[in-house]
Structure formats: structure tokens, C-alpha cells
Amino acid sequence: MSFPQRYGPWALVVGAAVGLGAEFCRQLAERGLNLIMVALEKDELDTLATDLTQRHGIRTHAVTGDITAPDVLDSVALLVEDVELGLVVYNAGLSICGMWLDVPLERHRRVVDVNISAMMTVLHRFVPPMIERGRGGVVLLSSMSGLLGTPMYGSYAATKAFTLNLAETLWDEWRPHGVDVVAVVPGPTDTPGYRADAPRPVRNAPKVMPVAPVVAEGLAALGKQPSVIPGRANRRNGILLSRLLPRKRAVALMGTAMREIYPGQ
């Protein structure tokens, strides 16, 4: 069965305008999928939708807004009612860099709203028809920060651990019904969000990956395994930190590295 037959003819990409989300849109368009694209950045989203339509001859619907807002979710639902949705990519995410108590509680809650609550709502609302149809796919964006406690990114890391565990759970629960799930677990990736935190170049820091191979490895893993860490070096680091080192040593190393990469936070 071809990719469009298995996961088409329409895909929903949340967090679609820039970075990994935009690259998911590009690679899915190259595979012939039509796109419902949701993001906050109107100009970037509209430009991307127009470009993909012209370049690949696909259909696109661009929805500008915050996926945590009920009216935005309702707008997406109206579009989904009129199409056969075969793939959901939840890429919307929010991170906060800083010592945990230095960050206002409402900002922590906002991270949970975007990274967890809205993701669960999207899945609960749009996956059941895939299960009834007996085919489809879900891609959830986790992070290597979710493999262990990550000082200075505590709430973000916690939400990405949730995402990874949920994806692996749903991989097992939904595969008998023909719906594939994969958690993509990137390391440092060259996205606007990563650059906005202004990481300091340090010796022996993990290499920053471009978005294209991260997305390509994620899509290649869909239907084959419950989770994937893109990049050979990232996979080695993931095994070292989450399996080989004692937990307290791994978290302490992560804390030292993060304070060096983000001094003054």
C-alpha cells in the first residue's frame, strides 16, 4: 500500500508554519497528501500553503490561530468533516528556558496546555474515524529532553516525556485497528524556537540537525516502530543518558550542560 493510500488523502499538521511543522508539510506534499495546516504565524502559513499548492498540485486549507482555542479547533473540525483524514501530525509546542521557580506558574500551565492538553483533544477528536476506517497514522513530536529530567527546561521536558509515553501506548492500542503511531524524539534541531532561546556554542555539545532529515526519519519510522530518535549521534546519546548511566549521573550531566549552553538564565 502506498503512503497516500495508507495515510491520505488528507493530513492535519498542527504547528505547521515554520521549522519542523513546515518541513512535515513539505515532505507530505511531496508524497501527494492534501493538507489542513494550523499555526499562529499567518503570513508564513499562507505563503507555505500557496507554495505547496503550486509546486505539488495538492489542496491546502490554512487555519491561523491557537490550537488551544475552542473556536480554532472547531474551525479545523469543520474542515475535517468534509475530507477523509488519514494522518495527524501534532507539532505545536511551547518551551520555557529558566530555573523552574523563576518562571511564573501561568507560563508552566501554558506549556502544559499547548504540549499536552491540546494534543490529547486533537487525538480524541480526529482519530476515531481512522480507527473505524481501519487505516491512518499519527505523528507526535517529543524531544530528547523527555528522556530524563532536564534542568532549565523542566516543564517542557516533563510534557515531552508524557508525549513519548502516550505515543508508545497508542502505538500498541491502535495498531490492531490499522492506525500507526510514532513519537519523533529530536535532539537539538535548527528551528526558530531553538534559535530563539539563543543557545551558546559549547565544546562537545550535540550537533544541531537540520529539519529535513529529522522529518524524513520520523516519517520513515511510521508504521515500523513506536518511537524514533533521528540522527545516529543523538541515538547514541539517548542510550547513554537513559539506559547506561546511573540516573542521578545522567541528570547531573544534563544540568551541567544546560547551564553552560544557557548561561545567565
Side-chain angles (χ1 to χ4, degrees):
M1 186 179 293
S2 70
F3 194 95
Q5 289 173 325
R6 179 69 177 163
Y7 303 118
W10 285 83
L12 168 64
V13 181
V14 182
V18 298
L20 286 168
E23 184 62 24
F24 270 107
C25 290
R26 285 189 285 266
Q27 294 195 25
L28 292 174
E30 289 172 0
R31 295 170 186 246
L33 269 63
N34 303 305
L35 297 169
I36 298 173
M37 307 158 63
V38 185
L40 292 169
E41 303 90 347
K42 177 175 174 52
D43 292 343
E44 293 89 338
L45 187 66
D46 290 344
T47 298
L48 180 64
T50 299
D51 178 69
L52 294 179
T53 297
Q54 294 174 348
R55 189 182 300 269
H56 300 288
I58 64 165
R59 297 173 61 194
T60 61
H61 294 299
V63 179
T64 303
D66 183 346
I67 194 61
T68 67
D71 61 325
V72 173
L73 190 66
D74 289 343
S75 296
V76 174
L78 287 174
L79 293 172
V80 171
E81 284 181 2
D82 296 330
V83 303
E84 190 172 304
L85 187 67
L87 183 67
V88 172
V89 178
Y90 194 88
N91 177 67
L94 181 63
S95 66
I96 299 172
C97 181
M99 304 300 282
W100 198 82
L101 279 177
D102 292 340
V103 176
L105 180 59
E106 285 307 310
R107 294 188 67 193
H108 290 300
R109 287 175 170 163
R110 179 66 180 155
V111 171
V112 173
D113 287 344
V114 174
N115 296 4
I116 294 180
S117 300
M119 177 185 67
M120 291 195 297
T121 302
V122 166
L123 296 179
H124 220 274
R125 192 156 186 175
F126 300 126
V127 170
M130 297 184 198
I131 291 176
E132 293 175 7
R133 196 182 306 124
R135 65 171 187 86
V138 172
V139 179
L140 302 180
L141 271 293
S142 181
S143 166
M144 288 187 66
S145 297
L147 299 179
L148 74 165
T150 305
M152 303 185 73
Y153 276 91
S155 290
Y156 175 78
T159 63
K160 293 307 179 179
F162 180 100
T163 299
L164 175 58
N165 281 274
L166 179 63
E168 293 185 335
T169 297
L170 299 179
W171 170 83
D172 184 75
E173 290 187 2
W174 290 350
R175 62 180 176 148
H177 304 284
V179 176
D180 300 321
V181 182
V182 69
V184 182
V185 188
T189 306
D190 187 19
T191 65
Y194 177 81
R195 293 192 296 270
D197 285 339
R200 174 188 172 190
V202 298
R203 188 176 181 181
N204 297 324
K207 184 178 180 180
V208 178
M209 285 186 67
V211 293
V214 173
V215 170
E217 289 194 41
L219 292 177
L222 184 62
K224 298 181 176 67
Q225 58 200 69
S227 59
V228 61
I229 299 175
R232 185 177 301 174
N234 286 334
R235 286 191 288 275
R236 287 198 300 266
N237 288 338
I239 292 171
L240 176 66
L241 291 171
S242 65
R243 300 181 189 178
L244 298 182
L245 288 178
R247 196 73 174 181
K248 66 177 183 179
R249 176 63 175 156
V251 174
L253 283 173
M254 182 68 78
T256 298
M258 297 303 285
R259 292 181 183 92
E260 187 175 359
I261 293 171
Y262 300 101
Q265 293 289 342

